[in-house]
């Protein structure tokens, strides 16, 4: 991780920490419970988990409480916590066709195998303030939950759903992705360019949603050559397995995580003498329910594979991967709050000397004239 503002007088720092606590509590409202944040601020929790690179809803909610709702700071806290934890096991590759879906849509096809599932979304609601939430009471919440009857829906869904893009693959309309020969762990190995695909997807996966959205938007809007179509977006729980510690031929189920997966279909390539023209694919997957991030990730995955001679920022792999990490970016911007007394005094000294030299030169020229 990058810069951290930690310099200063000890007494002043301790007082600053006390003031943080004071400003969080001075309203004297009831203590905010971690489970309340986890359950009722779930989308913010998911963002923190994604950018903190750790699937831990309770820890993410606790970090949000500690950070007073500052999601950058919460993600920083969570990623720092992650760095202190031992790595005992590595999960097996996840099969997302076995995802227990809560939402599944396609912008490319109206009729898809298994059908579209709108699930929990605000896509079709009006963005009006709901004043009824001001007086929300526990009894009313229980009544709403019992009336919805949401518990009967999962039992109606099949265990697996085929991928929409497989329809295009079977027709030979979708170009195959180049297999990644190397699996790089960006938490332990330095990112280098051109990066392997595994490293790029890891970097995008823990990127900051807003930064990724802005870059993806720039590419779609004209600073790039991507015209995406949403092949499939799915949100759901995927099972995680690890290799059995005592028998490598067996696997052990260790739990499930909520993820958002997106496959973006981009414009077709013209092909060459050996290859026929085909559509291309961009892939995105992130922790939790974060559709905007997964879609932006898929667009950037595809845009950074551009073979254009003159690349737009969103097509430049190094530019994208070095600037989407919110913790790195926030740390660098924040570091300007650190004392720069010596360097700034040096700047002033050079400026004053330059003005003296420029003034003397002007006087000399005036005398010559």
């Amino acid at each position: 991780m990058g810069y951290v503002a930690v310099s200063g007088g000890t007494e002043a720092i301790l007082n600053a920490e006390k003031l943080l606590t004071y400003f969080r509590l001075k309203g004297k409202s009831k203590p905010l419970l971690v489970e309340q944040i986890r359950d009722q601020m779930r989308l913010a929790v998911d963002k923190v988990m994604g950018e903190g690179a750790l699937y831990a809803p309770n820890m993410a909610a606790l970090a949000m409480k500690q950070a007073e709702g500052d999601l950058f700071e919460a993600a920083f806290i969570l990623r720092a916590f992650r760095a202190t934890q031992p790595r005992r096991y590595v999960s097996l590759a996840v099969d997302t066709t076995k995802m227990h879906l809560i939402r599944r849509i396609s912008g490319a096809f109206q009729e898809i195998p298994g059908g579209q599932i709108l699930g929990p979304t605000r896509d079709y609601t009006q963005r009006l303030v709901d004043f009824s939430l001001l007086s929300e009471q526990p009894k009313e919440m229980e009544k709403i939950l019992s009336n919805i009857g949401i518990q009967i829906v999962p039992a109606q869904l099949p265990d697996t759903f085929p991928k929409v893009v497989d329809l295009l693959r079977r027709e030979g309309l979708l170009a195959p992705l180049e297999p990644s020969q190397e699996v790089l762990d960006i938490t332990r190995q330095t990112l280098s360019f051109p990066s392997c695909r595994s490293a790029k997807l890891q970097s995008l996966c823990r990127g900051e949603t807003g930064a990724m959205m802005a870059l993806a938007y720039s590419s779609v809007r004209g600073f790039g050559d991507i015209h995406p179509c949403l092949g499939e977006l799915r949100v759901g729980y995927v099972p995680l397995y690890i290799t059995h510690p005592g028998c490598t031929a067996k696997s052990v189920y260790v739990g499930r995580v909520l993820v958002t997966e997106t496959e973006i279909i981009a414009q077709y390539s013209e092909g060459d003498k050996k290859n026929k023209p085909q559509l291309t694919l961009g892939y995105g997957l992130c922790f939790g329910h974060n559709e905007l991030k997964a879609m932006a990730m898929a667009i950037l995955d595809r845009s950074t594979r551009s073979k254009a001679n003159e690349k737009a920022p969103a097509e430049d792999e190094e530019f994208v991967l070095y600037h989407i990490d919110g913790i790195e970016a926030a740390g660098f911007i924040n570091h300007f709050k650190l004392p720069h007394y010596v360097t700034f005094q040096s700047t002033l000294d050079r400026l004053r000397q330059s003005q003296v030299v420029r003034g003397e030169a002007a006087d000399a020229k005036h005398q010559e004239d």
Side-chain angles (χ1 to χ4, degrees):
M1 285 180 279
Y3 291 87
V4 183
V6 294
S7 294
T10 302
E11 185 177 356
I13 289 175
L14 292 175
N15 287 334
E17 289 183 355
K18 290 179 183 176
L19 281 172
L20 271 179
T21 304
Y22 169 74
F23 272 87
R24 184 172 66 82
L25 302 177
K26 69 184 180 70
K28 298 183 179 179
S29 56
K30 293 181 180 178
L32 189 58
L33 301 179
V34 169
E35 52 263 40
Q36 287 179 304
I37 300 174
R38 181 199 61 203
D39 295 341
Q40 299 184 45
M41 306 290 286
R42 61 180 184 89
L43 298 180
V45 169
D46 289 348
K47 278 187 180 179
V48 171
M49 289 195 300
E51 293 160 22
L54 180 68
Y55 191 87
N58 285 334
M59 288 298 302
L62 177 60
M64 286 175 59
K65 179 176 181 178
Q66 181 180 336
E68 300 177 78
D70 184 334
L71 300 189
F72 283 108
E73 186 71 19
F76 197 157
I77 293 170
L78 191 65
R79 195 182 292 185
F81 171 76
R82 176 190 184 279
T84 66
Q85 299 306 299
R87 182 176 302 180
R88 295 190 173 92
Y89 304 102
V90 176
S91 71
L92 301 176
V94 171
D95 182 359
T96 55
T97 62
K98 297 180 179 177
M99 182 185 296
H100 186 186
L101 295 174
I102 62 173
R103 175 165 160 77
R104 181 196 191 215
I105 59 171
S106 172
F109 301 99
Q110 183 176 6
E111 301 291 338
I112 57 177
Q116 302 204 33
I117 305 168
L118 291 188
T121 179
R122 291 185 176 82
D123 286 352
Y124 315 98
T125 59
Q126 291 180 312
R127 268 65 175 185
L128 301 176
V129 176
D130 184 358
F131 291 99
S132 66
L133 296 178
L134 288 171
S135 57
E136 194 173 39
Q137 297 297 324
K139 288 186 178 179
E140 293 177 1
M141 295 166 66
E142 291 176 5
K143 184 177 179 181
I144 292 172
L145 286 174
S146 61
N147 290 338
I148 289 177
I150 200 73
Q151 66 275 8
I152 64 174
V153 174
Q156 298 174 341
L157 299 178
D159 293 332
T160 63
F161 283 85
K163 292 293 188 69
V164 171
V165 295
D166 286 342
L167 298 172
L168 302 175
R169 283 199 178 96
R170 282 197 288 270
E171 285 191 55
L173 297 175
L174 190 64
L177 290 171
E178 295 180 4
S180 181
Q181 302 295 333
E182 179 184 9
V183 178
L184 186 79
D185 184 347
I186 63 168
T187 66
R188 299 187 176 190
Q189 296 169 274
T190 304
L191 194 62
S192 60
F193 300 96
S195 68
C196 64
R197 183 166 169 77
S198 65
K200 180 167 73 173
L201 291 179
Q202 286 175 62
S203 298
L204 291 169
C205 187
R206 69 177 194 176
E208 199 273 321
T209 303
M212 294 170 64
M213 178 189 67
L215 285 171
Y217 177 50
S218 74
S219 179
V220 176
R221 191 170 174 271
F223 294 89
D225 192 25
I226 299 296
H227 304 283
C229 188
L230 180 62
E232 184 176 1
L233 182 149
R234 51 172 65 189
V235 184
Y237 294 89
V238 290
L240 286 185
Y241 293 88
I242 61 171
T243 302
H244 193 290
C247 179
T248 56
K250 296 182 179 178
S251 60
V252 180
Y253 174 74
V254 293
R256 63 177 191 170
V257 297
L258 179 67
V259 298
T260 304
E261 182 187 46
T262 299
E263 288 173 312
I264 289 284
I265 303 167
Q267 75 276 20
Y268 65 89
S269 60
E270 293 296 343
D272 51 35
K273 293 181 180 178
K274 296 182 180 179
N275 301 309
K276 55 187 178 183
Q278 290 178 305
L279 294 165
T280 55
L281 190 70
Y283 183 77
L285 185 142
C286 61
F287 282 154
H289 189 174
N290 193 344
E291 299 175 12
L292 201 57
K293 178 175 179 176
M295 293 176 67
M297 177 177 174
I299 293 171
L300 292 175
D301 171 45
R302 174 60 187 85
S303 68
T304 50
R305 299 203 305 272
S306 170
K307 296 180 180 178
N309 293 326
E310 296 184 5
K311 295 184 178 181
E315 295 175 336
D316 187 318
E317 180 184 71
E318 184 172 349
F319 182 89
V320 171
L321 299 188
Y322 270 156
H323 294 96
I324 57 170
D325 192 304
I327 296 173
E328 289 283 353
F332 197 87
I333 297 301
N334 267 325
H335 105 279
F336 291 110
K337 293 184 288 189
L338 287 169
H340 285 69
Y341 310 138
V342 175
T343 53
F344 188 64
Q345 285 303 316
S346 175
T347 300
L348 290 178
D349 289 344
R350 291 199 306 274
L351 176 61
R352 290 176 181 129
Q353 185 62 32
S354 296
Q355 288 184 344
V356 170
V357 171
R358 183 68 62 86
E360 291 175 348
D363 290 343
K365 185 178 181 181
H366 179 70
Q367 290 177 1
E368 290 177 1
D369 294 340

